[in-house]
């Protein structure tokens, strides 16, 4: 039993002692990493880097043992340890200045066979592909860290050790490294030991965190508890918030009863103080207060924080702003201030909390709750990208900034805006980023025309303003009041429904399923088999159906996907009337949800009436579905093209993937004796997928000798989904 337990652990350290001369650097360290990602944090000089070096054989071990998958590696030379499957990303990166990016990677590749190749590195880190001919000394800090990580990944290790992977990096690069660590942990192909001083990163990537104090593992604590316990962080790690140390104190006037002062608002920048701004050891003298002050980092609450990024990964929506849910009243206050405040006052009179948000691009200051300058900080290039002389570019940049800001707010009860086409263009992208179900209303003069570009796949309500939104009059007052009362009613109903749901039992997890008429029998069988354990949401694959499903994925409202009918890809590539967008499968790639897919209805391109078929397709095999829908059979060449397209997307999926190939036909029309039966075309599709998809333990193609509508095929789909959902659910619990 004991040997079996040891074999299952990726890393097991027992009673590890390391000395530097007479200094006892590691004192009986005990640590076990079963699998996934594990973080070790601590002040400088506590022995974290020494632990890494001891595992890699770079420092002498005086006592104790180190085991990798049950094999004792204590006192073995570093090269042998690396060949056994231990990769190392050292602190400081340690790149060769004279070698190019590509030379670094080619030098590291080939030590051990596995999924990580130079080509995959370039797919994962496109920036390195762009800089492949640059020397190590010509790269930015973030690029150097990407290269150092890539160099270790190319050894295809069982255990990857990363010492301070986010040290000295910009916040946006830190977020990318954090996301990559989460992805590596979820892949399950390797375990990762991370030495990290950034508490936000350390607690986001692993379930438990080990704290090192004076060369020992002081404790192993739940990451959620450590992230929330500022007192513990300050006591053991020497970090704290300066703002918490200086509360405002009001002295009551003589004879007047003193009332508790309200807590100060944290709208301004927060200074983060670290007790060791230099690189001391635990034998160093105390750091002077003046040096701590000089080394403090300033974080603005108006810009995304790393710990907020980590929290967003644990759930679809996380509250980022204190207080009860609020209705956002958004618009260009420099030109529509009177109208927007009119809407705000009506909503507030109904008892709802409001926040007035300015998205104007003129740069003028307005009285509001969230200024345009604050919103602009959320653009990737900052306010300079928003407040420029080109109005079109400014509107586009502000729309991006507002969408970024909106994603970071977690207490949104609803959003309403009023204005012309410019205002609608400013707020609509952000509204589309919100989850389905959050009330969204735009009052605009463009609402009587084609609103598709504004609404997209989201549940945005658009109301025609009748008169232009320019001043208050008898008509505009009535329309704006109707809009304000409508959003208030939607918000109240939704809050009441959520409260009722919270009191009752939790609902079933939702799964998205794609369907077409020619795959209906399979979907009916799948939903019948899953309905006791899942809420099955079926989407008709007519272009907007796939977009709506992926919108719910983006909103965090689906727990998994059974993408049985991918026919929208066929129309995208061949010019049909029900096309997907180029981002089809994109949200699945980004969310890493359990994904079970198939090639449903890829045997057909959808057109309208026969006379609408493009001239280039004359003479092809057609089937008239109804007077308004004509189906065209795809050729072997077209199926090969679709196989390559889908294969590229599947390779980008890091979540659990099973993709099924029905050898008996991909639709009801593609069955023996039916009009679209063409085994050669189907075989071309399957071969292209098998040639292009990089199969791993987590990503598999599976042939089934059945038609897609046979009950046995549906049963196979259901069994695979239940298996993947169980694994993914366990991983989500681990991440917490």
């Amino acid at each position: 039993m004991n040997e079996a337990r040891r074999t299952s652990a990726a890393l097991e350290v027992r009673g590890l002692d390391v000395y530097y001369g007479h200094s006892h650097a590691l004192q009986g360290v005990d640590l076990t990493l079963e699998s996934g990602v594990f973080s070790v944090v601590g002040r400088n000089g506590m022995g974290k880097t020494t632990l890494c070096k001891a595992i890699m054989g770079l420092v002498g071990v005086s006592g104790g043992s180190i085991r990798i998958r049950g094999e004792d590696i204590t006192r073995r030379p570093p090269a042998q340890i690396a060949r056994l499957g231990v990769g190392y990303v050292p602190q400081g990166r340690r790149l060769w200045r004279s070698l190019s990016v590509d030379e670094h990677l080619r030098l590291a590749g080939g030590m051990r066979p596995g999924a990580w190749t130079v080509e995959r590195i370039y797919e994962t880190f496109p920036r390195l592909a762009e800089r492949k001919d640059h020397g190590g000394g010509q790269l930015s800090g973030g690029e150097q860290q990407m290269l150092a990580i890539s160099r270790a990944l190319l050894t295809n290790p069982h255990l990857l050790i990363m010492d301070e992977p986010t040290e000295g990096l910009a916040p946006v690069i830190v977020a990318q490294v954090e996301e990559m660590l989460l992805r590596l942990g979820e892949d399950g192909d390797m375990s990762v030991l991370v030495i990290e001083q950034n508490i936000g990163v350390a607690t986001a990537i692993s379930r438990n965190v080990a704290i090192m104090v004076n060369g020992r593992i002081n404790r192993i604590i739940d990451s959620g508890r450590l992230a929330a316990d500022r007192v513990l962080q300050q006591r053991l790690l020497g970090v704290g918030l300066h703002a918490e140390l200086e509360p405002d104190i009001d002295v009551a006037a003589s004879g007047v009863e003193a009332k508790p002062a309200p807590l100060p608002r944290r709208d301004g920048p927060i200074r983060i103080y670290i007790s060791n701004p230099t690189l001391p050891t635990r034998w160093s003298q105390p750091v002077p207060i003046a040096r701590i002050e000089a080394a403090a980092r300033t974080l603005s609450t108006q810009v995304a924080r790393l710990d907020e990024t980590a929290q967003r990964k644990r759930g679809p929506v996380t509250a980022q702003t204190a207080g009860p849910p609020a209705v956002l009243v958004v618009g260009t206050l420099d030109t529509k201030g009177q109208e927007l405040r009119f809407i705000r006052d009506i909503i507030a009179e109904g008892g709802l909390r409001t926040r007035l948000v300015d998205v104007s691009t003129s740069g003028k200051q307005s009285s509001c709750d969230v200024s345009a300058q604050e919103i602009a900080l959320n653009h990737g290039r900052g306010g300079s990208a928003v407040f420029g002389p080109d109005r079109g570019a400014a509107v586009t940049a502000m729309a991006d900034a507002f969408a970024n800001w909106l994603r970071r707010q977690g207490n949104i009860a609803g959003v309403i805006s009023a204005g012309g086409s410019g205002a609608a263009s400013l707020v609509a992208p952000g509204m589309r980023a919100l989850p389905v179900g959050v009330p969204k209303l735009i009052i605009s003069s463009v609402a009587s025309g084609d609103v598709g570009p504004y609404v997209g796949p989201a549940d945005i309500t658009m109301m025609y303003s009748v008169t232009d939104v320019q001043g208050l009059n008898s008509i505009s007052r009535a329309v704006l009041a109707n809009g304000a009362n409508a959003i208030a009613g939607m918000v109240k109903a939704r809050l009441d429904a959520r409260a009722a749901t919270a009191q009752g039992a939790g609902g079933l997890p939702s799964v998205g399923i794609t369907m077409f008429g020619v795959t209906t029998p399979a979907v009916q069988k799948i939903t019948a088999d899953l309905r006791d354990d899942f809420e099955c949401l079926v989407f008709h694959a007519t272009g907007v159906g796939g977009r709506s499903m992926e919108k719910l994925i983006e909103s965090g409202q689906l727990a998994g996907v059974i993408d049985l009918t991918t026919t929208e890809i066929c129309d995208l590539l061949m010019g049909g009337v029900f096309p997907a967008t180029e981002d089809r499968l994109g949200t699945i790639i980004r969310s890493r949800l359990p994904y079970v897919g198939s090639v449903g209805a890829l045997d057909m391109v959808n057109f309208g009436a026969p006379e609408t078929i493009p001239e280039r397709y004359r003479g092809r095999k057609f089937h008239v579905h109804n007077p308004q829908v004509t189906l065209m059979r795809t050729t072997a060449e077209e199926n090969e093209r679709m196989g390559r397209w889908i294969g590229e997307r599947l390779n980008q999926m890091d979540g659990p993937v099973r993709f099924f190939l029905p050898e008996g036909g991909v639709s009801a029309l593609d069955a023996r004796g039916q009009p679209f039966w063409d085994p050669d075309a189907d075989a071309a599709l399957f071969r292209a997928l098998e040639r292009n998809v990089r199969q791993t333990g987590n990503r598999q193609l599976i042939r089934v000798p059945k038609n897609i509508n046979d009950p046995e095929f549906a049963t196979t789909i259901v069994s695979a989904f239940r298996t993947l959902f169980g694994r993914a659910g366990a991983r989500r619990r681990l991440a917490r």
Side-chain angles (χ1 to χ4, degrees):
M1 285 291 292
N2 192 40
E3 185 61 34
R5 183 184 66 81
R6 284 183 172 179
T7 303
S8 66
L11 170 67
E12 189 175 47
V13 177
R14 289 288 174 265
L16 191 64
D17 287 304
V18 172
Y19 284 84
Y20 292 126
H22 295 291
S23 300
H24 200 173
L26 294 185
Q27 304 176 17
V29 171
D30 289 328
L31 185 68
T32 301
L33 168 55
E34 295 288 347
S35 61
V37 182
F38 189 82
S39 299
V40 178
V41 300
R43 303 186 190 191
N44 288 327
M46 294 296 109
K48 306 187 300 300
T49 295
T50 300
L51 174 62
C52 295
K53 291 181 176 179
I55 296 171
M56 288 303 303
L58 297 172
V59 296
V61 173
S62 302
S65 66
I66 305 168
R67 291 179 179 271
I68 301 295
R69 292 191 170 187
E71 184 169 355
D72 195 334
I73 64 168
T74 314
R75 300 181 183 86
R76 293 195 186 186
Q80 187 177 356
I81 293 172
R83 281 192 291 269
L84 288 172
V86 183
Y88 184 37
V89 182
Q91 185 179 19
R93 297 134 196 174
R94 294 183 178 271
L95 303 177
W96 290 284
R97 298 178 61 86
S98 60
L99 293 186
S100 69
V101 168
D102 198 61
E103 288 169 336
H104 273 90
L105 299 180
R106 301 291 172 188
L107 186 63
M111 176 184 293
R112 291 168 46 84
W116 286 98
T117 63
V118 174
E119 291 71 25
R120 185 180 178 188
I121 289 294
Y122 285 145
E123 290 176 9
T124 305
F125 300 105
R127 184 60 177 164
L128 291 183
E130 297 172 7
R131 308 274 281 173
K132 64 187 299 183
D133 296 325
H134 288 67
Q138 297 175 296
L139 304 179
S140 68
E143 292 165 348
Q144 289 181 6
Q145 192 62 285
M146 290 180 195
L147 182 55
I149 294 171
S150 300
R151 184 176 57 184
L153 290 175
L154 280 174
T155 66
N156 286 288
H158 299 308
L159 172 66
L160 179 62
I161 301 172
M162 306 182 74
D163 191 2
E164 302 286 4
T166 67
E167 181 182 36
L169 300 184
V172 65
I173 305 298
V174 171
Q176 292 174 7
V177 172
E178 178 187 318
E179 184 173 352
M180 188 210 66
L181 290 171
L182 285 167
R183 196 176 298 175
L184 289 175
E186 290 178 353
D187 276 347
D189 295 330
M190 72 177 71
S191 301
V192 187
L193 178 68
V194 179
I195 307 300
E196 184 57 74
Q197 290 223 56
N198 188 316
I199 302 300
V201 173
T203 55
I205 61 177
S206 60
R207 178 182 176 183
N208 295 313
V209 177
I211 300 177
M212 286 199 75
V213 177
N214 291 334
R216 296 177 179 269
I217 300 297
N218 177 275
R219 67 186 67 189
I220 296 176
I221 185 172
D222 179 85
S223 60
R225 181 188 165 198
L226 178 60
D229 195 336
R230 294 297 179 88
V231 174
L232 184 63
Q233 292 178 29
Q234 191 171 20
R235 180 160 55 89
L236 294 178
L237 304 174
V239 300
L241 287 179
H242 178 62
E244 293 178 354
L245 303 179
E246 297 181 352
D248 294 334
I249 302 176
D250 293 332
V251 180
S254 178
V256 181
E257 183 179 351
K259 296 183 179 180
L263 290 176
R265 290 185 59 181
R266 298 270 169 78
D267 292 337
I270 294 177
R271 304 204 77 196
I272 305 297
Y273 289 81
I274 302 176
S275 63
N276 295 312
T278 57
L279 295 174
T281 68
R282 57 192 165 93
W283 303 280
S284 301
Q285 295 298 317
V287 180
I289 295 297
R291 190 179 303 170
I292 295 177
E293 285 282 347
R297 291 187 295 115
T298 300
L299 291 182
S300 171
T301 57
Q302 301 164 354
V303 184
R305 295 187 192 170
L306 297 179
D307 57 343
E308 293 173 350
T309 304
Q311 291 171 7
R312 284 199 300 279
K313 289 181 174 62
R314 295 182 181 147
V317 178
T318 305
Q320 307 295 341
T321 308
V327 178
L328 304 184
V329 182
V330 187
T332 53
L333 289 176
D334 58 348
T335 58
K336 304 289 186 279
Q338 184 183 22
E339 297 86 340
L340 293 168
R341 292 184 177 89
F342 176 78
I343 293 172
R344 177 201 59 187
D345 293 343
I346 292 175
I347 297 171
E349 288 171 4
L352 294 172
R353 181 172 176 243
T354 63
R355 298 179 74 197
L356 189 60
V357 181
D358 186 14
V359 291
S360 57
T361 59
S362 65
K364 297 178 181 178
Q365 296 286 342
S366 299
S367 175
C368 56
D369 298 305
V370 184
S371 69
Q373 289 72 24
E374 182 174 340
I375 298 296
L377 287 175
N378 290 271
H379 191 277
R381 301 197 308 274
S384 60
V386 176
F387 303 114
D390 186 331
R391 185 177 184 276
V395 168
T396 301
M398 179 60 87
D400 290 342
F402 175 64
N404 292 337
W405 177 85
L406 203 59
R407 291 187 187 97
R408 295 171 180 136
Q409 310 308 304
N411 63 344
I412 299 174
V415 186
I416 184 171
S417 180
S421 61
S425 299
L426 280 166
V427 301
M431 288 188 180
R432 291 196 297 268
L434 290 174
V436 172
V438 176
K440 317 165 187 72
L441 175 61
I442 298 176
I443 304 172
S444 177
S445 55
V446 301
S448 65
D450 179 11
V451 298
Y454 302 102
V455 176
D459 57 338
I460 297 174
T461 301
M462 294 200 70
M463 178 183 291
Y464 181 47
S465 61
V466 183
T467 64
D468 198 0
V469 183
Q470 188 59 54
L472 295 176
N473 52 59
S474 59
I475 301 299
S476 63
R477 285 178 184 275
V479 173
L480 296 177
N482 283 342
N485 286 309
I487 195 79
M490 288 188 276
V491 167
K492 289 178 180 178
R494 186 167 185 265
L495 292 177
D496 290 344
R498 288 172 61 182
T501 302
Q503 293 177 358
L508 297 175
S510 298
V511 54
I513 307 174
T514 51
M515 185 187 78
F516 221 41
V518 292
T519 59
T520 298
V523 172
Q524 289 176 333
K525 169 69 172 167
I526 291 168
T527 55
D529 290 350
L530 291 176
R531 64 187 174 196
D532 290 340
D533 302 306
F534 295 91
E535 179 187 29
C536 295
L537 306 181
V538 179
F539 299 87
H540 202 173
T542 57
V544 71
R547 292 171 63 198
S548 297
M549 181 182 73
E550 296 209 23
K551 172 63 182 175
L552 290 180
I553 296 170
E554 189 177 51
S555 300
Q557 293 174 262
L558 293 183
V561 177
I562 299 179
D563 199 4
L564 188 80
T565 312
T566 46
T567 187
E568 295 165 328
I569 295 169
C570 189
D571 281 25
L572 168 67
L573 299 181
M574 314 312 163
V577 296
F578 296 148
T581 67
E582 286 289 347
D583 195 43
R584 182 71 164 89
L585 305 179
T587 54
I588 298 164
I589 293 168
R590 293 186 288 273
S591 68
R592 303 191 291 277
L593 284 183
Y595 178 78
V596 175
S598 189
V599 289
L602 288 184
D603 57 330
M604 59 188 65
V605 184
N606 296 270
F607 294 111
E611 61 272 15
T612 66
I613 298 171
E615 185 64 32
R616 67 181 183 276
Y617 291 133
R618 300 295 179 184
R620 294 281 294 274
K621 182 184 290 187
F622 294 100
H623 176 76
V624 178
H625 182 67
N626 61 50
Q628 302 304 320
V629 177
T630 306
L631 310 176
M632 181 182 75
R633 190 22 162 134
T634 51
T635 65
E637 293 76 13
E638 290 166 343
N639 276 274
E640 184 175 356
R641 181 183 175 193
M642 289 186 289
R644 292 195 303 269
W645 195 97
I646 295 172
E648 291 175 0
R649 270 59 179 183
L650 294 179
N651 284 336
Q652 297 175 52
M653 293 183 186
D654 295 317
V657 174
R658 299 292 182 271
F659 201 82
F660 290 88
L661 310 178
E663 295 177 320
V666 303
S667 79
L669 293 178
D670 182 32
R672 190 176 299 275
Q674 295 301 312
F676 281 177
W677 173 245
D678 189 345
D680 292 339
D682 292 345
L685 172 64
F686 300 162
R687 284 196 305 270
L689 281 163
E690 289 171 336
R691 280 198 305 265
N692 286 276
V693 173
R694 187 171 55 248
Q695 298 196 56
T696 66
N698 215 32
R699 181 191 306 115
Q700 297 178 14
L701 294 178
I702 303 170
R703 284 182 178 249
V704 181
K706 299 291 181 181
N707 181 274
I708 197 168
N709 288 312
D710 287 344
E712 294 87 348
F713 186 83
T715 300
T716 303
I717 291 282
V718 169
S719 176
F721 180 76
R722 288 186 181 279
T723 301
L724 291 194
F725 185 82
R727 287 175 53 195
R731 284 176 180 164
R732 283 194 294 273
R733 289 191 294 274
L734 179 64
R736 294 189 180 95

